[in-house]
Amino acid sequence: MAGAPKRQDTRKFFENLSGAGKCIAVLTSGGDAQGMNAAVRAVVRMGIYVGAKVYFIHEGYQGMVDGGDNIKEATWESVSSMLQVGGTVIGSARCKEFRTHEGRLKAAHNLVQRSITNLCVIGGDGSLTGANLFREEWSGLLTELQQQGLIDEEAAQKNSALHIVGMVGSIDNDFCGTDMTIGTDSALHRIIEVVDAIMTTAQSHQRTFVLEVMGRHCGYLALVSALACGADWVFIPEMPPEDGWEDSMCQKLSESRSRGSRLNIIIVAEGAIDRQGQPITSDFVKDLVVRCLGFDTRVTILGHVQRGGTPSAFDRILASRMGVEAVLALLEASANTPACVVSLVGNQAVRLPLMECVQMVKVQKAMDEKKFEEAVRLRGRYFSSGISRGCWNTWLGCICLRFFCIFRLFLSVSAALRHPQSSFNVAVLNVGAPAAGMNAAVRSAVRVGITEGHKMFAVNDGFEGFYKGQIKEIKWGDVGGWTGQGGSLLGTKRSHWLSLLQAYVGLLELSAARDKYTELCVPMVMVPATVSNNIPGSDLSIGSDTALNAITDTCDRIKQSASGTKRRVFIIETMGGYCGYLATVGGLAAGADTVYIYEEAFDIRDLQANVEHLTQKMKTSIQRGLVLRNENCNENFTTDFIYQLYSEEGRGTFDCRKNILGHMQQGGAPSPFDRNFGTKVAAKAMQWITRTLKDSYKGGRVFANSEDTACLLGMRRRALVFQPVSQLRDETDFVHRIPKEQWWLKLRPLMKILAKYKTSYDVSDSGQLEHVTRFRAKESNTTATI
């Protein structure tokens, strides 16, 4: 695969972290979760890559205790075609025997026989706690084995230290220390697929549906799916409704119908309780609605469908990153290194002391003591950020900008800013190409704005509609049902006065024109939303996750189409302009062999080397190859050229097919991630607008002309940050419309390693254990961190 030009720098690479002579075992334990196989695949291939022996432990801790054929050495090919499979291929089983000292003694013996002293455990907090206890007892277990004559002194000394690294696989997202656990996003996909289907039949018959989702002790799935589908009400264990909730809920449902809604959706976590600790069941809620309102009401219990199906693109990428990080952590571990868990904070993989995380999970104790606010706090920042103040159930169905929101109109609405006690007028518009999730973001902005007391306006057809005066008031009910809609319901015509450039340049020009037009001296904020994920100042954009899922799903189907045929290579062209994000991250999620992008130059020699590399792989048991090409990666090496090259050079070994995905990557219903990311970011943007409007109100009107009143709200590593757009100018390649520095380029070596290429992997951000309490970034003078 083409490599980036070599350069001298101070980065740290893993070439110095050899795995030669080490044995690593990987197991999955507890409930299965989509994405576990991607994590197993990453551990196996990274472990083999660094020279270690890697073993599967089948059937979790039971397999470790039983030994024998349950512990098998893994090969590179043994994890092929595993990436897209749900559940766990190596199996998971509950093991009472491992909870006993005798069981752990058997497990230790089985590991020592194979010189396994590095253990990667993928499971929930119970599985990880068991692994830590095993590690703490290890020295004593070896002594017992030696005393019983089962191992000799040399074996005891050789295997004297057991290193443990955990990855959390749980659809409930109930582990403190990580924003997302492996499997959660896929479970949300299953829930939203069902909810979207139910909403059409509910609307047809004016029905109310009560959906019960998993979450015996954690309400994350219920809360986030309710946000993603715009539910009217939600019940979660951590935050029981106030006494008298029955009347409040029925009044809310009745008001919704009176505004013209033809359906109601109520989400119930299976462990939902009231303030007295009594269960709130889906049947109870149904009977209440029927008795008090007479609505035609049905119950749907999703059950284990939430655990099933193909893992989402997010879970594949998350699990792959965590698996590689877990191997690096094992390579760097010393005898004094505590067991750690690999977590996700913001957009960065981190390592945290395992027991520090486990000890933070005291939610059930807080709930038993009716300390519900404490329970929400203990769930962590990602969970608590979904609940806003005390009125979350009132506007839960409400907070659900696309590319760009300018929260203020020109002269036509400036009169309302004369009195500080009156509501401000705020406008929202979409600019640029459509991206899934923009409608959810607009809905969030509108309803949060109304909650804040503002009068909200919608601008149709982007900047063109703005200067033509296509501006109208938009009310609460106008955005009902927008959350799951793809495209842009406001319209996104590109304007000639911007020379066909998009929102970021538009905001720069508007803020620069403040000196000439005082009417532009108002707060402005941009929220990036583009499938290409090419906006400076943000690691992620609304719409890119949906596009990645479209790419991943298509690649899965394309690879499956070759099942049973002779060896075949697929050449796939993705969107992205000059930005290789979709191709690279989509390639990582789909298990691509090679990905060509503009940011990493390649020539004919690289192409030839890639063909030869794939040819050698095809001579093994591997049947299919996948090559992704970003649409503008090279003007001469077109998709047709690469297809013809591979077809000719692979003749006799494999044949080729090509596919240009095109605009299907922009279409479809938004993914749960894009719905909720758009919802959250738009709500934060609206709160910032409210504060800035109040702070800028001087002399009887709003006047905001400082650089920090024209901002972009973006995800930067671990935090959402408001950044003045003028300060992002130097970070932008305006010719190719991409940021000069792109975080995801660090994923390319990971992708190459998993495709069996020799490369360098930057581990500058790895190797340091952090503490759970050190997550949140501090505010600075130039940015506001959320």
Side-chain angles (χ1 to χ4, degrees):
M1 182 177 291
K6 294 182 179 180
R7 56 181 177 178
Q8 296 296 321
D9 55 32
T10 58
R11 289 180 296 171
K12 176 184 174 186
F13 296 96
F14 75 72
E15 280 88 343
N16 297 324
L17 302 173
S18 172
K22 295 187 177 182
C23 295
I24 300 172
V26 56
L27 65 90
T28 55
S29 177
D32 63 296
Q34 308 96 318
M36 280 184 165
N37 290 322
V40 171
R41 172 179 177 267
V43 170
V44 169
R45 291 195 166 177
M46 187 63 173
I48 293 173
Y49 188 86
V50 299
K53 271 189 177 182
V54 185
Y55 289 86
F56 292 133
I57 299 180
H58 292 272
E59 311 305 334
Y61 287 117
Q62 188 66 57
M64 191 190 300
V65 172
D66 294 342
D69 289 340
N70 288 303
I71 305 177
K72 295 181 179 179
E73 186 174 354
T75 65
W76 192 277
E77 290 78 15
S78 63
V79 292
S80 294
S81 302
M82 182 186 279
L83 190 61
Q84 66 269 27
V85 179
T88 166
V89 170
I90 62 175
S92 177
R94 305 201 180 275
C95 181
K96 292 183 179 179
E97 196 173 357
F98 189 75
R99 298 178 183 177
T100 67
H101 182 79
E102 291 75 14
R104 292 192 290 275
L105 188 65
K106 290 181 182 178
H109 186 215
N110 289 327
L111 295 188
V112 170
Q113 283 182 316
R114 297 163 177 83
S115 298
I116 298 172
T117 56
N118 297 277
L119 197 58
C120 184
V121 179
I122 308 167
D125 59 343
S127 301
L128 299 182
T129 302
N132 187 67
L133 175 62
F134 190 42
R135 173 186 171 276
E136 291 176 345
E137 292 182 347
W138 183 256
S139 179
L141 293 172
L142 294 189
T143 300
E144 284 189 55
L145 291 172
Q146 192 175 349
Q147 291 172 348
Q148 294 177 15
L150 296 174
I151 62 172
D152 57 26
E153 183 177 357
E154 181 183 355
Q157 291 179 349
K158 181 181 177 182
N159 300 280
S160 60
L162 177 66
H163 305 299
I164 301 286
V165 173
M167 288 180 277
V168 188
S170 166
I171 68 168
D172 291 332
N173 201 29
D174 56 354
F175 192 82
C176 184
T178 185
D179 286 352
M180 288 286 277
T181 58
I182 297 170
T184 302
D185 187 71
S186 299
L188 286 172
H189 273 258
R190 302 293 91 77
I191 294 171
I192 294 305
E193 287 167 5
V194 172
V195 174
D196 284 352
I198 279 177
M199 289 179 78
T200 58
T201 184
Q203 192 165 35
S204 299
H205 298 278
Q206 298 191 65
R207 283 179 177 149
T208 295
F209 270 88
V210 182
L211 279 81
E212 182 180 304
V213 302
M214 283 186 168
R216 191 176 305 132
H217 303 296
C218 179
Y220 181 87
L221 288 179
L223 174 63
V224 177
S225 60
L227 287 170
C229 72
D232 296 275
W233 207 266
V234 64
F235 298 93
I236 63 173
E238 296 88 344
M239 200 167 186
E242 299 289 344
D243 292 340
W245 62 268
E246 296 91 343
D247 292 337
S248 298
M249 185 189 73
C250 289
Q251 181 181 356
K252 171 73 167 59
L253 299 181
S254 180
E255 289 174 353
S256 174
R257 291 293 180 95
S258 67
R259 288 195 298 266
S261 174
R262 293 178 57 86
L263 78 157
N264 300 111
I265 299 292
I266 301 169
I267 308 289
V268 181
E270 61 179 328
I273 55 174
D274 62 19
R275 289 274 162 177
Q276 285 68 49
Q278 297 301 309
I280 298 177
T281 66
S282 51
D283 285 332
F284 177 83
V285 174
K286 172 201 168 183
D287 293 342
L288 174 67
V289 174
V290 172
R291 184 175 68 252
C292 295
L293 299 175
F295 292 171
D296 184 2
T297 306
R298 308 296 171 91
V299 172
T300 297
I301 299 175
L302 273 66
H304 281 74
V305 69
Q306 297 158 87
R307 288 194 186 276
T310 300
S312 67
F314 182 96
D315 273 329
R316 300 185 197 193
I317 297 160
L318 173 65
S320 297
R321 292 176 68 182
M322 284 186 170
V324 169
E325 186 72 19
V327 172
L328 294 177
L330 289 172
L331 293 181
E332 295 174 350
S334 66
N336 299 321
T337 303
C340 75
V341 60
V342 179
S343 302
L344 178 75
V345 180
N347 191 36
Q348 187 176 15
V350 300
R351 305 175 196 171
L352 302 168
L354 191 155
M355 292 313 296
E356 202 171 291
C357 296
V358 170
Q359 290 163 8
M360 285 289 289
V361 184
K362 302 174 182 176
V363 180
Q364 192 58 50
K365 183 175 184 294
M367 290 165 58
D368 292 341
E369 297 174 356
K370 295 185 170 56
K371 298 178 180 178
F372 298 113
E373 292 185 3
E374 175 71 5
V376 171
R377 186 189 67 79
L378 287 170
R379 281 294 181 212
R381 65 173 197 160
Y382 200 78
F383 183 94
S384 58
S385 66
I387 301 175
S388 177
R389 291 172 283 189
C391 59
W392 64 285
N393 239 331
T394 302
W395 59 276
L396 177 62
C398 335
I399 70 163
C400 257
L401 281 139
R402 152 66 187 152
F403 226 9
F404 171 38
C405 298
I406 300 177
F407 295 97
R408 172 72 168 87
L409 290 180
F410 285 118
L411 291 170
S412 59
V413 294
S414 61
L417 302 178
R418 302 296 182 188
H419 306 290
Q421 299 305 317
S422 67
S423 62
F424 293 106
N425 291 338
V426 178
V428 56
L429 60 89
N430 298 161
V431 177
M438 66 175 71
N439 294 320
V442 170
R443 178 176 179 270
S444 175
V446 168
R447 291 193 168 179
V448 173
I450 292 172
T451 303
E452 297 279 355
H454 306 312
K455 192 173 184 180
M456 298 300 298
F457 289 83
V459 181
N460 294 112
D461 295 337
F463 283 123
E464 183 174 322
F466 208 168
Y467 74 74
K468 286 183 177 180
Q470 295 174 204
I471 301 163
K472 64 179 181 180
E473 185 178 357
I474 186 166
K475 296 184 178 180
W476 188 280
D478 295 335
V479 291
W482 281 33
T483 311
Q485 297 290 319
S488 168
L489 295 176
L490 291 184
T492 62
K493 282 187 179 179
R494 299 185 180 186
S495 175
H496 292 288
W497 70 277
L498 271 178
S499 301
L500 301 181
L501 293 179
Q502 299 180 343
Y504 172 62
V505 176
L507 187 53
L508 280 172
E509 294 200 12
L510 286 174
S511 59
R514 284 169 163 178
D515 292 339
K516 187 175 181 180
Y517 302 103
T518 59
E519 293 83 8
L520 294 177
C521 294
V522 294
M524 306 176 187
V525 64
M526 169 184 168
V527 173
T530 165
V531 300
S532 302
N533 198 33
N534 62 338
I535 299 299
S538 186
D539 291 351
L540 300 172
S541 298
I542 299 169
S544 59
D545 183 74
T546 304
L548 283 174
N549 278 285
I551 293 169
T552 304
D553 291 345
T554 303
C555 288
D556 286 350
R557 295 180 185 184
I558 287 173
K559 289 194 295 183
Q560 190 181 53
S561 72
S563 179
T565 67
K566 61 182 179 179
R567 290 177 172 84
R568 181 165 288 168
V569 173
F570 297 92
I571 314 297
I572 310 294
E573 181 183 302
T574 69
M575 295 180 81
Y578 288 96
C579 180
Y581 175 82
L582 286 181
T584 295
V585 183
L588 179 58
D593 296 276
T594 309
V595 176
Y596 299 110
I597 63 171
Y598 168 78
E599 292 91 342
E600 193 171 281
F602 60 96
D603 57 26
I604 193 64
R605 292 179 294 275
D606 297 310
L607 288 167
Q608 182 62 36
N610 299 154
V611 174
E612 292 174 358
H613 181 268
L614 194 51
T615 301
Q616 291 303 312
K617 289 173 70 173
M618 285 291 187
K619 291 178 180 179
T620 66
S621 60
I622 294 174
Q623 297 289 315
R624 293 178 295 280
L626 185 65
V627 176
L628 268 61
R629 177 189 178 275
N630 170 242
E631 58 184 345
N632 287 346
C633 66
N634 189 292
E635 63 180 343
N636 295 313
F637 299 139
T638 64
T639 301
D640 282 337
F641 178 91
I642 293 175
Y643 163 70
Q644 292 170 9
L645 176 66
Y646 274 75
S647 297
E648 179 62 30
E649 295 298 319
R651 191 185 301 275
T653 304
F654 58 81
D655 64 0
C656 284
R657 296 290 186 274
K658 66 177 177 178
N659 194 300
I660 298 176
L661 301 184
H663 281 75
M664 66 168 291
Q665 297 158 85
Q666 285 186 332
S671 68
F673 183 93
D674 277 331
R675 299 185 195 197
N676 289 300
F677 187 58
T679 295
K680 177 179 178 179
V681 176
K684 296 292 186 185
M686 180 55 68
Q687 292 167 350
W688 178 87
I689 281 291
T690 299
R691 293 194 304 270
T692 309
L693 282 170
K694 292 178 179 178
D695 293 343
S696 304
Y697 190 87
K698 300 171 185 177
R701 62 156 296 161
V702 168
F703 186 82
N705 68 343
S706 60
E707 67 173 14
D708 61 355
T709 58
C711 288
L712 178 144
L713 173 56
M715 169 66 76
R716 277 286 177 94
R717 290 170 67 89
R718 304 191 184 189
L720 286 170
V721 182
F722 287 96
Q723 305 149 97
V725 290
S726 59
Q727 295 181 9
L728 296 174
R729 190 186 299 271
D730 292 339
E731 299 182 23
T732 309
D733 176 352
F734 287 97
V735 174
H736 299 99
R737 300 201 308 200
I738 56 175
K740 292 179 180 177
E741 298 289 335
Q742 304 192 84
W743 69 271
W744 53 265
L745 287 171
K746 289 186 177 182
L747 298 180
R748 286 187 62 79
L750 184 154
M751 179 194 66
K752 295 176 185 178
I753 288 169
L754 297 181
K756 213 173 184 179
Y757 281 91
K758 288 293 181 182
T759 188
S760 296
Y761 187 67
D762 184 5
V763 296
S764 300
D765 292 336
S766 303
Q768 295 294 324
L769 271 176
E770 302 187 18
H771 295 282
V772 179
T773 55
R774 293 182 185 170
F775 286 159
R776 299 183 72 92
K778 296 181 179 179
E779 293 190 9
S780 69
N781 294 330
T782 58
T783 61
T785 304
I786 298 175

